[in-house]
Amino acid sequence: MRFSPQFLDDLRARLPVSEVVRQRVQLKKAGREWKGLSPFNKERTPSFFVNDDKAMWFDFSSGQNGTIFDFVMRTEGVSFPEAVERLAGMAGMPLPKVSPDEDAR
């Protein structure tokens, strides 16, 4: 596996979901959560919510939800490794070195 669970947990801990989502969605504070218009559907009333405590986002208009990795993959159309690379860059985290054995898989 290219990215260890520890690396992914550290990345999640460094980047609040609201910080990642805010680059694509205008968010407003709503109690403990943030709300905004869905990036997946055209809407007038916000149905997109971000909860930093749960490290999740929820889009009630499309029925989608997920983590920072899912959000980047869906909004930017990239694979999981590409999403991790972009998020690591945002967080200022160096990517783990890939051994030649793992590269061959």
Side-chain angles (χ1 to χ4, degrees):
M1 182 184 315
R2 180 167 181 197
F3 303 111
S4 71
Q6 180 64 41
F7 177 79
L8 297 175
D9 288 343
D10 289 346
L11 185 53
R12 268 190 225 98
R14 286 193 189 190
L15 287 175
V17 181
S18 59
E19 185 178 324
V20 174
V21 171
R22 191 175 281 124
Q23 294 188 4
R24 290 213 173 247
V25 178
Q26 184 177 354
L27 296 174
K28 293 182 181 176
K29 192 72 169 158
R32 291 184 175 175
E33 297 183 331
W34 296 88
K35 68 179 179 178
L37 299 176
S38 170
F40 307 111
N41 294 315
K42 292 189 181 226
E43 60 184 11
R44 292 183 184 182
T45 306
S47 68
F48 186 86
F49 291 85
V50 175
N51 187 313
D52 286 330
D53 294 334
K54 294 179 182 177
M56 298 285 290
W57 56 270
F58 307 89
D59 183 3
F60 293 101
S61 69
S62 68
Q64 298 183 59
N65 62 63
T67 64
I68 55 175
F69 307 111
D70 300 313
F71 185 79
V72 171
M73 290 185 325
R74 290 181 183 151
T75 58
E76 298 183 23
V78 297
S79 66
F80 180 75
E82 291 172 309
V84 172
E85 289 173 11
R86 291 179 188 196
L87 292 166
M90 278 181 63
M93 289 178 65
L95 291 171
K97 300 223 186 286
V98 179
S99 68
D101 295 338
E102 287 185 36
D103 239 1
R105 290 183 197 168

